[in-house]
Amino acid sequence: MILVKSPREIEVMRRAGAVVARFFEEVRPLILPGVSTWDLEVFADRFIARNGVRSAFKGYMGYPAHLCASINEEVVHGIPSKDRVVREGDILSIDFGIVREGFYGDSAMTFPVGAVNVVSSRLLAATERSLAAGISEVRPGNRLGDVSAAVQEAVEAEGFSVVRDFVGHGIGRSLHEDPQIPNFGKRGVGPKLMPGMILAIEPMVNAGGWPVEVLADGWTVVTRDRSRSAHFEHTVAVTEDGHRILSLP
Ligand code: MF3
Ligand code: CO
């Protein structure tokens, strides 16, 4: 069952999303060669305390940190660690969520560390564009399949592949609500979008093939072919006249 939010609830979710967006603005300048993903976790811990919000991920299904920080061939759910230091040319996916006034905000972004190779910069641009293409299909009367297909088409037009084993999700008073939002699918199928639905759309895109595997830590998802992967996510409301991205400053 897809829960519909009232305009007042959407206003709270916009405030939650704004905190997440501010986190990304503040963390961006810290992503330099030599920084460890643990350093970024420490920053996130202070950010959460300073903003009087709650961590969305820490403790979720036993996940041990505020952030997911995934480097290069890591797709999602990389656990911050002092041993994971980024170098010039790496790409770093950060996924961050919080709870504010009972509602969740969730967003992700992949950053280049200094200058990156051509495939990596194309991968980041294509993934971000695929999220924009999916969001552009969010309006009342469209179906979820229209969103999924738009993401997939944008990715595959660039010769990259969409991860099949992890998907986006509805979001609200829980981090994960119905519906699941695959980044692949067919136009014209799936639930009809209605004002008040809130969607976390999050394409995970591999430079090589789509298969992924989970490492022995039980969390870190990597591409099976060890090609690089990127991840962009926004929390998006369906409005009367289209959509509104809630995870913006
Ligand atoms: N954005 C991811 C999601 O919505 C982050 C979850 S990480 C977890 O699924 F650790 F909390 F599971
Ligand atoms: Co999410």
Side-chain angles (χ1 to χ4, degrees):
M1 186 205 21
I2 303 177
L3 298 172
V4 168
K5 279 76 177 178
S6 71
R8 267 190 47 237
E9 291 173 320
I10 292 174
E11 201 44 43
V12 177
M13 292 194 71
R14 194 191 55 76
R15 292 200 290 273
V19 173
V20 176
R22 198 139 32 74
F23 173 78
F24 280 99
E25 288 182 338
E26 292 186 22
V27 83
R28 178 190 299 276
L30 307 180
I31 300 172
L32 296 169
V35 80
S36 75
T37 56
W38 181 254
D39 296 330
L40 303 177
E41 172 70 11
V42 169
F43 177 78
D45 191 66
R46 295 196 183 122
F47 178 90
I48 284 167
R50 170 155 59 82
N51 285 276
V53 296
R54 204 158 65 69
S55 181
F57 301 168
K58 195 168 183 168
Y60 182 84
M61 310 265 281
Y63 187 72
H66 302 306
L67 290 183
C68 301
S70 310
I71 303 172
N72 296 340
E73 75 283 357
E74 297 173 353
V75 179
V76 287
H77 304 167
I79 300 171
S81 160
K82 288 177 185 169
D83 310 326
R84 302 294 284 140
V85 175
V86 297
R87 300 292 173 206
E88 172 106 19
D90 286 345
I91 60 173
L92 173 63
S93 301
I94 302 270
D95 192 346
F96 182 63
I98 59 98
V99 191
R100 176 171 175 174
E101 299 165 71
F103 285 91
Y104 282 77
D106 187 9
S107 183
M109 208 173 284
T110 303
F111 298 90
V113 182
V116 300
N117 67 30
V118 175
V119 171
S120 297
S121 55
R122 278 187 51 232
L123 177 67
L124 269 50
T127 307
E128 193 167 15
R129 270 203 304 275
S130 76
L131 173 57
I135 291 172
S136 75
E137 294 291 328
V138 176
R139 58 178 167 271
N142 266 13
R143 291 181 182 272
L144 201 58
D146 299 322
V147 176
S148 299
V151 172
Q152 180 176 16
E153 287 162 12
V155 168
E156 294 179 352
E158 297 291 331
F160 298 130
S161 61
V162 163
V163 170
R164 304 294 201 264
D165 299 11
F166 295 86
V167 296
H169 50 96
I171 181 169
R173 289 187 183 275
S174 306
L175 176 60
H176 295 148
E177 295 183 356
D178 283 346
Q180 293 200 1
I181 307 175
N183 297 298
F184 55 95
K186 267 199 203 344
R187 285 178 195 274
V189 305
K192 230 178 212 171
L193 302 181
M194 284 170 33
M197 291 179 176
I198 318 285
L199 310 174
I201 305 172
E202 49 178 320
M204 289 148 268
V205 175
N206 298 347
W210 60 260
V212 298
E213 60 195 32
V214 180
L215 296 184
D217 64 16
W219 281 105
T220 312
V221 178
V222 299
T223 57
R224 197 168 287 171
D225 61 14
R226 300 302 190 264
S227 65
R228 289 185 169 198
S229 186
H231 181 207
F232 283 81
E233 174 176 26
H234 271 309
T235 300
V236 180
V238 185
T239 59
E240 299 289 342
D241 58 351
H243 58 261
R244 180 163 184 196
I245 301 176
L246 302 181
S247 44
L248 287 178

